[in-house]
Amino acid sequence: MKVLIETYGCQMNTADSELIQGILRTDGFETAHTLEEADILILNTCAVREKAEARIMGRLTNFVPLKKQNPNLLIGVVGCMAKHLGHDIVKKIPYVDFVVGPDNYRRLPAILRSIGKNAEIQTAFDRTELYAGCTPHRPRGVTAWVTIQRGCNYVCAYCIVPYVRGVERNIPAENILAEVRELAQQGCSVVTLLGQTVNSYVDKEVDFPELLRRIAAIDGIEQIRFTSPHPLGFSDELIEVIASEPKVAKFVHLPLQSASDAQLRAMRRNYTYEDYCTIVQKLRTACPQIAISTDIIVGFCGETEDDYQCTKQALLDHRFAFAFLFAYSQRSLSIAARTLPDDVPNDIKQKRLAEIIAIQQTISKEVYAQCVGKRLPVIVEGFSRRHPEQAVGNTPDFKTTLFTGGDAQPGDWVEIEIERATSQTLKGKLIRILKKGNAPQVENPIDVGISLGPTENPPN
Ligand code: SAH
Ligand code: SF4
Ligand code: F3S
């Protein structure tokens, strides 16, 4: 039986889709590459904003003709929306055959083999589930997602994630190191460590800075990225490792959410705007070439015009390389949904959002334009899907760079002269190969675009 997975939401879900493929393939299932050849269709879903769920519900209704054509086709919903809505999904869309939460993927092979007339719903939390012994099925290539942490122990008032992903659980450091060593042996040289608050990672004596140091010591690993850290507990030691360890990306995605202390308090973020600025300043002092990006929510409960102006000013002051910008969307289960009125009118939320999107777009353009004329190191990750003659890679500060010329291969470090820039990418020509890599032929071309942050809302 062939399985196709469509993935929504953040990188945790992308990594989980690879995990699910791994679990199913170990059990004899195969991978489908098109809807038509699939016997089993799985939507790995996101619940973070109402729009994300609405989009998935819409997608599910598209499958009516497919199901009519092939009555044996199994359709399932897994991931965060599966945990959030459970039975309600089947009530709304009766031809959904299974609904499986983020802690229940090991059961998928058994569930798929035993589905009868009634939909199978399995969404219970299992705080012991770390998927030890399950090998994700990854596309062969230079980059890999590596989950180091599941769940979240923070309770930001707006956020549904802790209620759909459960409490924080850290993967044992030795398992992570073994996984990265194996990836390096297969020719993967760029890893992105994933967790909801990666800097709270701890396993016995190994905290997050130590984990970075140990991964950096692995031969074959050239670049380590991570997402997302939380401003709380962003220690001087972490700043020191980012600044001093050449293999650690000179890039930090550091969600601010709001620059108003009243809003930060209402959001239960546990830091002040000043705390945030101190981290940014320390990062920029210790590591002048660092690029910083962020997440912002406008229109959260009680946000006044003054609160909003603080956030707008913060974007102007920090000049983030890019930012994921959102209008607040009330989520059931969250603290805000239970205790705070969603009192900013939608037209004001949308007006504020549109304004900061325009501001950030200009800033990103300027930040990227500053690279024009420079020669920058780039690690090659593959070839553009739309323009296969162009190679794609990233600078150490995570600026996606397209270039032509030469015979650079994935895994190589190259020097690129930057000729043009948009608000999301750099374009240039190859000057020379700095260091040959030993990557295998990549399996998948790359969709050019920034791939850190919730993919549902592309950066501006
Ligand atoms: N764990 C990550 C965030 C995961 S969710 C962190 O704390 O950094 C990704 C982003 O979605 C958040 O940073 C926030 O900006 C946004 N978000 C989360 N819940 C939201 C909601 N209810 N409405 C609008 N945006 C939300
Ligand atoms: Fe956890 Fe807060 Fe991030 Fe939500 S926004 S996942 S609660 S740290
Ligand atoms: Fe889940 Fe990530 Fe969305 S943790 S709710 S898929 S942003």
Side-chain angles (χ1 to χ4, degrees), residues 8-10 13 45-48 80 161 164-165 196:
Y8 297 80
C10 67
N13 264 11
T45 62
C46 175
V48 79
C80 300
V161 170
V164 293
R165 290 251 164 199
Q196 293 299 346

Side-chain angles (χ1 to χ4, degrees), residues 235-433:
S235 64
D236 291 350
E237 194 190 349
L238 177 53
I239 293 171
E240 189 346 79
V241 177
I242 294 168
S244 65
E245 174 49 63
K247 291 184 183 178
V248 175
K250 306 307 169 208
F251 164 76
V252 176
H253 181 71
L254 192 62
L256 167 62
Q257 313 301 1
S258 168
S260 143
D261 284 341
Q263 282 279 291
L264 288 171
R265 248 190 327 272
M267 289 175 168
R268 306 199 186 199
R269 287 290 287 178
N270 294 314
Y271 54 84
T272 62
Y273 179 53
E274 198 186 329
D275 296 336
Y276 185 91
C277 293
T278 306
I279 299 166
V280 170
Q281 200 184 0
K282 282 184 182 173
L283 269 168
R284 294 210 196 270
T285 307
C287 185
Q289 74 271 44
I290 197 106
I292 301 173
S293 63
T294 201
D295 289 348
I296 298 283
I297 300 175
V298 290
F300 181 64
C301 313
E303 188 187 54
T304 62
E305 182 60 27
D306 280 356
D307 293 327
Y308 165 67
Q309 290 298 333
C310 292
T311 303
K312 186 172 130 186
Q313 190 57 46
L315 289 178
L316 293 165
D317 291 344
H318 290 298
R319 298 183 61 78
F320 296 106
F322 59 89
F324 297 103
L325 309 167
F326 307 105
Y328 171 57
S329 161
Q330 189 179 61
R331 305 314 288 137
S332 62
L333 307 174
S334 69
I335 294 175
R338 285 180 276 136
T339 64
L340 297 171
D342 182 8
D343 54 2
V344 177
N346 193 43
D347 57 334
I348 295 188
K349 285 182 187 172
Q350 295 308 326
K351 190 170 148 264
R352 290 176 182 170
L353 180 62
E355 190 182 36
I356 56 170
I357 285 177
I359 289 172
Q360 183 56 44
Q361 164 97 19
T362 307
I363 295 171
S364 293
K365 251 193 195 147
E366 289 167 3
V367 170
Y368 278 67
Q370 280 169 357
C371 298
V372 174
K374 290 189 183 158
R375 290 187 173 188
L376 301 176
V378 165
I379 187 152
V380 185
E381 295 173 22
F383 297 93
S384 161
R385 193 183 293 273
R386 261 192 286 167
H387 304 285
E389 74 288 357
Q390 291 189 324
V392 186
N394 277 285
T395 60
D397 68 345
F398 197 59
K399 292 194 168 60
T400 301
T401 307
L402 285 150
F403 65 93
T404 48
D407 58 351
Q409 290 303 311
D412 296 349
W413 274 110
V414 294
E415 188 179 45
I416 302 299
E417 186 170 300
I418 307 301
E419 298 172 318
R420 282 186 298 139
T422 70
S423 57
Q424 297 181 39
T425 47
L426 302 176
K427 289 187 179 151
K429 63 167 191 257
L430 179 83
I431 298 297
R432 62 194 170 111
I433 293 177

